[in-house]
Amino acid sequence: MQTAPDIKDLMLSNKASLKDALALIDKNAQGICFIVDDKNKLIGLLTDGDIRRCILNNSALDVKVETVMQKTFTSFPVTTPQEIVQSKLSNTIRHIPLVDQNNVLVDYACFSRTHRTPIMQPLLNGNELAYVSDCINTGWISSQGAYVKRFEKEFAEYCGAQYAVAVSNGTVALHLALAALDIKAGDEVIVPDLTFAASINAIIYTGATPIIVDVDATTWTISLEDIEKNITPRTKAIMPVHLYGHPCHMDEIMALAKKHNLLVVEDAAEAIGGKYKGKHVGTFGEAATFSFFGNKTITTGEGGMVFFKDKAMYEKALVLRDHGMSKEKKYWHDYVGFNYRMTNLQAAIGCAQLERIDEFVEAKRKLATFYNKILSATGNFILPPQESWATNGYWLYTAILKDTANISRDELMDKMLKNGVETRAVFFPLHEMPPYKNYPTKSTFKNANHISAQGISLPSSVNITQEELDNMSNALHSIFKTQHISA
Ligand SMILES: Cc1ncc(COP(=O)(O)O)c(C=O)c1O
């Protein structure tokens, strides 16, 4: 994993020019350089703000940095205890040079070295511990236990669904949904090119053939045109994926499915709290699935849920989840089933998380509003989809870096990391990866290719701090040289 830049990437000779300083700061993306003499003794520092002011005062770019540098600044001996140095770091002093006994510059302290904003982390400070302790104190730690049914009931109520089956993760949720719908070898299931691989893997587990299609340019979700183009007599189902929390075009997908007599299995793993025309995602298709992995909007550590519209399918899924064992006759197996059960421990965490779901979803929306503001200010991004008919769940805030930006997506990720901010690239297009590239398709994947190449996700934890947001804004400011916007 990469870290903040090395000290030499911030070090500049006093004989260097203002232009050299600009180039160094551009490269290190820290907004600062430390000026040293020919013995590497620290004699000054220069920030991008200082340079801007020099240029505004008509300084020439070839002027020597030693004539314009700051000569009064904070520095510490490198032996200073870390907590003392850290206590001096703030949003105004984000870098402190560290020197040896001869005042030779040897290292520096900065916010991003002492702290890294993770792309996502769970918030578990509600009733999670109390409910898990309850499981342990009562001995109900396996899949029998009151929390599993309670979690199923309460999550279904939250979404407005009728039949819910809790399972051990979001991947098996998809497999169970497809199996309960009797998807099997010989069938084709249409899946979008941009999704986490679990969507397509679950189709392959059933023996059916996945047909990968492009996404549309506005919602980044499955393209209606491409679904239609890829329907054959063997097509049995469509799997819309509500990518990063934005709903798919559900009315049109359901109409297409009706017209061609197809089933719809929604993959709503990333869209907890997302709504299509005011109705929660996961309530449209014959089946829908969710994930409660540690990075999801609510978590059970590992966990998943399947919703069904039809009671018979739901009852079949309950049997399949439990080894295919008959509900009437113990140890009599009606199907080749699975052990996909959720434990009471997982469900206990889920019940506690559900108590705060509105708060979490609201926090994600607020975060998205802030990110929209800071990314817009750079003029270099296409913001996440937000159709008028959609409530984006904003699971993971993701934007597209414009092709006209003077930095590549990967360079941007690298610079953000150097500023203590983890980011994530959009999924690779499924059709490019070895296990999936030979499946038949009539799609050309223009949109998926572009979104995958230029898309970047920003830290989206619900408990992100004001300081982290300020740091992020500062980082973008120093990378794109735009104005700082505070959270
Ligand atoms: C779209 C999508 N589907 C399915 C899954 C699988 O869920 P899990 O990780 O809980 O197995 C994930 C993510 O984790 C996902 O993002």
Side-chain angles (χ1 to χ4, degrees), residues 169-171 174 195-196 198-199 241 267 269-270 291-293 296 302-303 427:
N169 59 63
T171 307
L174 283 164
T195 180
F196 182 55
S199 314
V241 180
D267 183 344
E270 303 179 357
S291 163
F292 308 116
F293 180 62
K296 294 300 184 292
E302 293 276 0
F427 299 113

